[in-house]
Amino acid sequence: SHHRCCGTRGAMGNQESIPGCFDMCSTGEHKGFASARRSDSVRGHSAGIGAVFGVDSTGAVFFNTAVPGSACSDAANRGELKSGDILYSVDGVQVYRSPLNVVASKLLGPHGTVATVHFKRADQDVVLQLERRMTDMQAAQKAINSAKEAS
């Protein structure tokens, strides 16, 4: 499977090394990415669930690892979210095999709001309520780097 890291776009000095890499954590001052694909209601900071995703050979987006301190990190620590879980829908909107920019646009939102995220794991359905939080960009970068090294 070709593995792409989809983590924090803004913290990467060289974005070109990871094609299709998008920010699932927070856009910070790099709001051009989010606002280009969403309405004008996205201003300044968008927060995310802190997931680093990969894309498998079928185009399915799967959970790889979590940014420390994020809602995904909390869920993973509780055993509710596992590496390899396939992303199926966000807030009732199916995103299975959607492009990463579409996935990002659904997961990013105002800090403190909650996303209902539905994952598939073998024949199990995993539905989680994940709070969007502003993420430490350095922590996000570390999570992305470790995910790249592991792939």
PDB file of all heavy atoms in Angstrom, residues 9-10 23 26-46 108 137:
ATOM      1  N   ARG A   9       0.129  20.425   7.940  1.00  0.00           N
ATOM      2  CA  ARG A   9       0.746  20.963   6.748  1.00  0.00           C
ATOM      3  C   ARG A   9       1.642  22.152   7.081  1.00  0.00           C
ATOM      4  O   ARG A   9       2.741  22.258   6.573  1.00  0.00           O
ATOM      5  CB  ARG A   9      -0.382  21.381   5.822  1.00  0.00           C
ATOM      6  CG  ARG A   9       0.054  21.844   4.472  1.00  0.00           C
ATOM      7  CD  ARG A   9      -1.202  22.133   3.686  1.00  0.00           C
ATOM      8  NE  ARG A   9      -0.843  22.674   2.403  1.00  0.00           N
ATOM      9  CZ  ARG A   9      -1.667  23.374   1.661  1.00  0.00           C
ATOM     10  NH1 ARG A   9      -2.868  23.596   2.075  1.00  0.00           N
ATOM     11  NH2 ARG A   9      -1.298  23.832   0.513  1.00  0.00           N
ATOM     12  N   GLY A  10       1.155  23.031   7.944  1.00  0.00           N
ATOM     13  CA  GLY A  10       1.871  24.278   8.197  1.00  0.00           C
ATOM     14  C   GLY A  10       3.223  24.094   8.857  1.00  0.00           C
ATOM     15  O   GLY A  10       4.114  24.887   8.660  1.00  0.00           O
ATOM     16  N   ASP A  23      -3.506  19.211   6.668  1.00  0.00           N
ATOM     17  CA  ASP A  23      -3.525  19.507   8.082  1.00  0.00           C
ATOM     18  C   ASP A  23      -4.804  19.008   8.732  1.00  0.00           C
ATOM     19  O   ASP A  23      -5.867  19.492   8.431  1.00  0.00           O
ATOM     20  CB  ASP A  23      -3.425  21.029   8.174  1.00  0.00           C
ATOM     21  CG  ASP A  23      -3.381  21.523   9.579  1.00  0.00           C
ATOM     22  OD1 ASP A  23      -3.568  20.716  10.484  1.00  0.00           O
ATOM     23  OD2 ASP A  23      -3.151  22.717   9.748  1.00  0.00           O
ATOM     24  N   SER A  26      -4.503  21.700  13.015  1.00  0.00           N
ATOM     25  CA  SER A  26      -5.003  23.070  13.046  1.00  0.00           C
ATOM     26  C   SER A  26      -4.298  23.830  11.945  1.00  0.00           C
ATOM     27  O   SER A  26      -3.186  23.516  11.586  1.00  0.00           O
ATOM     28  CB  SER A  26      -4.713  23.721  14.395  1.00  0.00           C
ATOM     29  OG  SER A  26      -3.329  23.757  14.624  1.00  0.00           O
ATOM     30  N   THR A  27      -4.975  24.814  11.391  1.00  0.00           N
ATOM     31  CA  THR A  27      -4.373  25.524  10.284  1.00  0.00           C
ATOM     32  C   THR A  27      -3.589  26.742  10.742  1.00  0.00           C
ATOM     33  O   THR A  27      -2.778  27.248  10.013  1.00  0.00           O
ATOM     34  CB  THR A  27      -5.441  25.968   9.268  1.00  0.00           C
ATOM     35  OG1 THR A  27      -6.477  26.640   9.974  1.00  0.00           O
ATOM     36  CG2 THR A  27      -5.996  24.778   8.533  1.00  0.00           C
ATOM     37  N   GLY A  28      -3.832  27.202  11.961  1.00  0.00           N
ATOM     38  CA  GLY A  28      -3.075  28.339  12.459  1.00  0.00           C
ATOM     39  C   GLY A  28      -3.129  29.494  11.487  1.00  0.00           C
ATOM     40  O   GLY A  28      -4.182  29.824  10.956  1.00  0.00           O
ATOM     41  N   GLU A  29      -1.972  30.106  11.228  1.00  0.00           N
ATOM     42  CA  GLU A  29      -1.973  31.255  10.325  1.00  0.00           C
ATOM     43  C   GLU A  29      -2.039  30.824   8.861  1.00  0.00           C
ATOM     44  O   GLU A  29      -2.169  31.646   7.985  1.00  0.00           O
ATOM     45  CB  GLU A  29      -0.746  32.145  10.584  1.00  0.00           C
ATOM     46  CG  GLU A  29       0.573  31.551  10.160  1.00  0.00           C
ATOM     47  CD  GLU A  29       1.196  30.662  11.227  1.00  0.00           C
ATOM     48  OE1 GLU A  29       0.497  30.278  12.179  1.00  0.00           O
ATOM     49  OE2 GLU A  29       2.396  30.358  11.092  1.00  0.00           O
ATOM     50  N   HIS A  30      -1.937  29.535   8.602  1.00  0.00           N
ATOM     51  CA  HIS A  30      -1.977  29.056   7.221  1.00  0.00           C
ATOM     52  C   HIS A  30      -3.430  28.812   6.813  1.00  0.00           C
ATOM     53  O   HIS A  30      -3.807  27.723   6.462  1.00  0.00           O
ATOM     54  CB  HIS A  30      -1.166  27.760   7.090  1.00  0.00           C
ATOM     55  CG  HIS A  30       0.259  27.945   7.476  1.00  0.00           C
ATOM     56  ND1 HIS A  30       1.215  28.388   6.603  1.00  0.00           N
ATOM     57  CD2 HIS A  30       0.890  27.774   8.659  1.00  0.00           C
ATOM     58  CE1 HIS A  30       2.368  28.469   7.243  1.00  0.00           C
ATOM     59  NE2 HIS A  30       2.200  28.100   8.485  1.00  0.00           N
ATOM     60  N   LYS A  31      -4.245  29.861   6.894  1.00  0.00           N
ATOM     61  CA  LYS A  31      -5.677  29.652   6.716  1.00  0.00           C
ATOM     62  C   LYS A  31      -6.085  29.623   5.257  1.00  0.00           C
ATOM     63  O   LYS A  31      -7.212  29.304   4.947  1.00  0.00           O
ATOM     64  CB  LYS A  31      -6.473  30.685   7.488  1.00  0.00           C
ATOM     65  CG  LYS A  31      -6.281  32.116   7.017  1.00  0.00           C
ATOM     66  CD  LYS A  31      -7.178  33.012   7.828  1.00  0.00           C
ATOM     67  CE  LYS A  31      -7.069  34.453   7.397  1.00  0.00           C
ATOM     68  NZ  LYS A  31      -5.819  35.083   7.789  1.00  0.00           N
ATOM     69  N   GLY A  32      -5.162  29.929   4.343  1.00  0.00           N
ATOM     70  CA  GLY A  32      -5.509  29.891   2.925  1.00  0.00           C
ATOM     71  C   GLY A  32      -5.996  28.520   2.502  1.00  0.00           C
ATOM     72  O   GLY A  32      -6.914  28.400   1.710  1.00  0.00           O
ATOM     73  N   PHE A  33      -5.395  27.490   3.064  1.00  0.00           N
ATOM     74  CA  PHE A  33      -5.760  26.113   2.717  1.00  0.00           C
ATOM     75  C   PHE A  33      -7.199  25.823   3.087  1.00  0.00           C
ATOM     76  O   PHE A  33      -7.960  25.300   2.290  1.00  0.00           O
ATOM     77  CB  PHE A  33      -4.794  25.158   3.423  1.00  0.00           C
ATOM     78  CG  PHE A  33      -5.377  23.811   3.724  1.00  0.00           C
ATOM     79  CD1 PHE A  33      -5.669  22.922   2.712  1.00  0.00           C
ATOM     80  CD2 PHE A  33      -5.648  23.442   5.021  1.00  0.00           C
ATOM     81  CE1 PHE A  33      -6.209  21.689   2.992  1.00  0.00           C
ATOM     82  CE2 PHE A  33      -6.188  22.210   5.308  1.00  0.00           C
ATOM     83  CZ  PHE A  33      -6.469  21.335   4.291  1.00  0.00           C
ATOM     84  N   ALA A  34      -7.586  26.185   4.320  1.00  0.00           N
ATOM     85  CA  ALA A  34      -8.941  25.865   4.774  1.00  0.00           C
ATOM     86  C   ALA A  34      -9.960  26.772   4.097  1.00  0.00           C
ATOM     87  O   ALA A  34     -10.983  26.323   3.618  1.00  0.00           O
ATOM     88  CB  ALA A  34      -9.038  26.003   6.289  1.00  0.00           C
ATOM     89  N   SER A  35      -9.667  28.075   4.025  1.00  0.00           N
ATOM     90  CA  SER A  35     -10.674  29.006   3.543  1.00  0.00           C
ATOM     91  C   SER A  35     -10.893  28.873   2.040  1.00  0.00           C
ATOM     92  O   SER A  35     -11.949  29.214   1.537  1.00  0.00           O
ATOM     93  CB  SER A  35     -10.309  30.441   3.909  1.00  0.00           C
ATOM     94  OG  SER A  35      -9.051  30.768   3.382  1.00  0.00           O
ATOM     95  N   ALA A  36      -9.903  28.343   1.342  1.00  0.00           N
ATOM     96  CA  ALA A  36     -10.074  28.152  -0.100  1.00  0.00           C
ATOM     97  C   ALA A  36     -11.129  27.088  -0.392  1.00  0.00           C
ATOM     98  O   ALA A  36     -11.730  27.070  -1.445  1.00  0.00           O
ATOM     99  CB  ALA A  36      -8.751  27.742  -0.736  1.00  0.00           C
ATOM    100  N   ARG A  37     -11.325  26.178   0.564  1.00  0.00           N
ATOM    101  CA  ARG A  37     -12.226  25.065   0.332  1.00  0.00           C
ATOM    102  C   ARG A  37     -13.495  25.150   1.167  1.00  0.00           C
ATOM    103  O   ARG A  37     -14.326  24.287   1.110  1.00  0.00           O
ATOM    104  CB  ARG A  37     -11.507  23.754   0.675  1.00  0.00           C
ATOM    105  CG  ARG A  37     -10.418  23.444  -0.312  1.00  0.00           C
ATOM    106  CD  ARG A  37      -9.627  22.228   0.122  1.00  0.00           C
ATOM    107  NE  ARG A  37      -8.691  21.840  -0.916  1.00  0.00           N
ATOM    108  CZ  ARG A  37      -7.550  22.447  -1.144  1.00  0.00           C
ATOM    109  NH1 ARG A  37      -7.200  23.489  -0.434  1.00  0.00           N
ATOM    110  NH2 ARG A  37      -6.750  22.029  -2.089  1.00  0.00           N
ATOM    111  N   ARG A  38     -13.586  26.167   2.004  1.00  0.00           N
ATOM    112  CA  ARG A  38     -14.762  26.302   2.842  1.00  0.00           C
ATOM    113  C   ARG A  38     -15.297  27.713   2.725  1.00  0.00           C
ATOM    114  O   ARG A  38     -14.693  28.566   2.114  1.00  0.00           O
ATOM    115  CB  ARG A  38     -14.395  25.980   4.293  1.00  0.00           C
ATOM    116  CG  ARG A  38     -13.930  24.521   4.431  1.00  0.00           C
ATOM    117  CD  ARG A  38     -13.636  24.158   5.849  1.00  0.00           C
ATOM    118  NE  ARG A  38     -14.855  24.178   6.642  1.00  0.00           N
ATOM    119  CZ  ARG A  38     -14.859  24.029   7.954  1.00  0.00           C
ATOM    120  NH1 ARG A  38     -13.775  23.845   8.607  1.00  0.00           N
ATOM    121  NH2 ARG A  38     -15.988  24.050   8.624  1.00  0.00           N
ATOM    122  N   SER A  39     -16.439  27.942   3.333  1.00  0.00           N
ATOM    123  CA  SER A  39     -17.054  29.259   3.232  1.00  0.00           C
ATOM    124  C   SER A  39     -16.234  30.295   3.986  1.00  0.00           C
ATOM    125  O   SER A  39     -15.307  29.975   4.714  1.00  0.00           O
ATOM    126  CB  SER A  39     -18.458  29.197   3.816  1.00  0.00           C
ATOM    127  OG  SER A  39     -18.368  29.028   5.219  1.00  0.00           O
ATOM    128  N   ASP A  40     -16.637  31.533   3.855  1.00  0.00           N
ATOM    129  CA  ASP A  40     -15.929  32.621   4.526  1.00  0.00           C
ATOM    130  C   ASP A  40     -16.051  32.562   6.043  1.00  0.00           C
ATOM    131  O   ASP A  40     -15.483  33.381   6.741  1.00  0.00           O
ATOM    132  CB  ASP A  40     -16.463  33.967   4.033  1.00  0.00           C
ATOM    133  CG  ASP A  40     -16.023  34.238   2.605  1.00  0.00           C
ATOM    134  OD1 ASP A  40     -15.034  33.630   2.169  1.00  0.00           O
ATOM    135  OD2 ASP A  40     -16.678  35.047   1.931  1.00  0.00           O
ATOM    136  N   SER A  41     -16.825  31.618   6.562  1.00  0.00           N
ATOM    137  CA  SER A  41     -16.964  31.512   8.011  1.00  0.00           C
ATOM    138  C   SER A  41     -15.675  31.024   8.665  1.00  0.00           C
ATOM    139  O   SER A  41     -15.494  31.149   9.858  1.00  0.00           O
ATOM    140  CB  SER A  41     -18.107  30.566   8.376  1.00  0.00           C
ATOM    141  OG  SER A  41     -17.808  29.261   7.941  1.00  0.00           O
ATOM    142  N   VAL A  42     -14.767  30.460   7.867  1.00  0.00           N
ATOM    143  CA  VAL A  42     -13.491  30.008   8.435  1.00  0.00           C
ATOM    144  C   VAL A  42     -12.538  31.192   8.461  1.00  0.00           C
ATOM    145  O   VAL A  42     -12.073  31.647   7.443  1.00  0.00           O
ATOM    146  CB  VAL A  42     -12.870  28.870   7.591  1.00  0.00           C
ATOM    147  CG1 VAL A  42     -11.532  28.449   8.191  1.00  0.00           C
ATOM    148  CG2 VAL A  42     -13.810  27.696   7.534  1.00  0.00           C
ATOM    149  N   ARG A  43     -12.286  31.677   9.653  1.00  0.00           N
ATOM    150  CA  ARG A  43     -11.386  32.818   9.813  1.00  0.00           C
ATOM    151  C   ARG A  43     -10.366  32.482  10.878  1.00  0.00           C
ATOM    152  O   ARG A  43     -10.716  31.885  11.892  1.00  0.00           O
ATOM    153  CB  ARG A  43     -12.165  34.047  10.274  1.00  0.00           C
ATOM    154  CG  ARG A  43     -13.123  34.567   9.232  1.00  0.00           C
ATOM    155  CD  ARG A  43     -12.440  35.639   8.391  1.00  0.00           C
ATOM    156  NE  ARG A  43     -13.351  36.116   7.363  1.00  0.00           N
ATOM    157  CZ  ARG A  43     -13.097  36.045   6.069  1.00  0.00           C
ATOM    158  NH1 ARG A  43     -11.979  35.517   5.640  1.00  0.00           N
ATOM    159  NH2 ARG A  43     -13.937  36.511   5.199  1.00  0.00           N
ATOM    160  N   GLY A  44      -9.128  32.890  10.652  1.00  0.00           N
ATOM    161  CA  GLY A  44      -8.126  32.679  11.684  1.00  0.00           C
ATOM    162  C   GLY A  44      -7.882  31.208  11.937  1.00  0.00           C
ATOM    163  O   GLY A  44      -7.534  30.472  11.036  1.00  0.00           O
ATOM    164  N   HIS A  45      -8.099  30.810  13.154  1.00  0.00           N
ATOM    165  CA  HIS A  45      -7.725  29.461  13.565  1.00  0.00           C
ATOM    166  C   HIS A  45      -8.849  28.464  13.356  1.00  0.00           C
ATOM    167  O   HIS A  45      -9.971  28.701  13.766  1.00  0.00           O
ATOM    168  CB  HIS A  45      -7.319  29.465  15.032  1.00  0.00           C
ATOM    169  CG  HIS A  45      -6.085  30.262  15.285  1.00  0.00           C
ATOM    170  ND1 HIS A  45      -4.830  29.780  15.024  1.00  0.00           N
ATOM    171  CD2 HIS A  45      -5.913  31.516  15.749  1.00  0.00           C
ATOM    172  CE1 HIS A  45      -3.940  30.708  15.335  1.00  0.00           C
ATOM    173  NE2 HIS A  45      -4.569  31.767  15.776  1.00  0.00           N
ATOM    174  N   SER A  46      -8.512  27.344  12.751  1.00  0.00           N
ATOM    175  CA  SER A  46      -9.400  26.192  12.740  1.00  0.00           C
ATOM    176  C   SER A  46      -8.735  25.120  13.582  1.00  0.00           C
ATOM    177  O   SER A  46      -7.526  24.959  13.546  1.00  0.00           O
ATOM    178  CB  SER A  46      -9.597  25.666  11.321  1.00  0.00           C
ATOM    179  OG  SER A  46     -10.412  26.549  10.592  1.00  0.00           O
ATOM    180  N   LEU A 108     -11.914  19.807  10.271  1.00  0.00           N
ATOM    181  CA  LEU A 108     -11.527  21.091  10.854  1.00  0.00           C
ATOM    182  C   LEU A 108     -12.763  21.907  11.199  1.00  0.00           C
ATOM    183  O   LEU A 108     -13.766  21.865  10.495  1.00  0.00           O
ATOM    184  CB  LEU A 108     -10.646  21.875   9.883  1.00  0.00           C
ATOM    185  CG  LEU A 108      -9.262  21.291   9.613  1.00  0.00           C
ATOM    186  CD1 LEU A 108      -8.595  22.020   8.456  1.00  0.00           C
ATOM    187  CD2 LEU A 108      -8.382  21.349  10.850  1.00  0.00           C
ATOM    188  N   MET A 137       1.971  22.735  17.218  1.00  0.00           N
ATOM    189  CA  MET A 137       2.536  22.398  15.908  1.00  0.00           C
ATOM    190  C   MET A 137       3.798  21.536  16.036  1.00  0.00           C
ATOM    191  O   MET A 137       4.037  20.668  15.216  1.00  0.00           O
ATOM    192  CB  MET A 137       2.861  23.672  15.124  1.00  0.00           C
ATOM    193  CG  MET A 137       1.637  24.476  14.744  1.00  0.00           C
ATOM    194  SD  MET A 137       0.446  23.527  13.760  1.00  0.00           S
ATOM    195  CE  MET A 137       0.641  24.311  12.179  1.00  0.00           C
TER     196      MET A 137
END
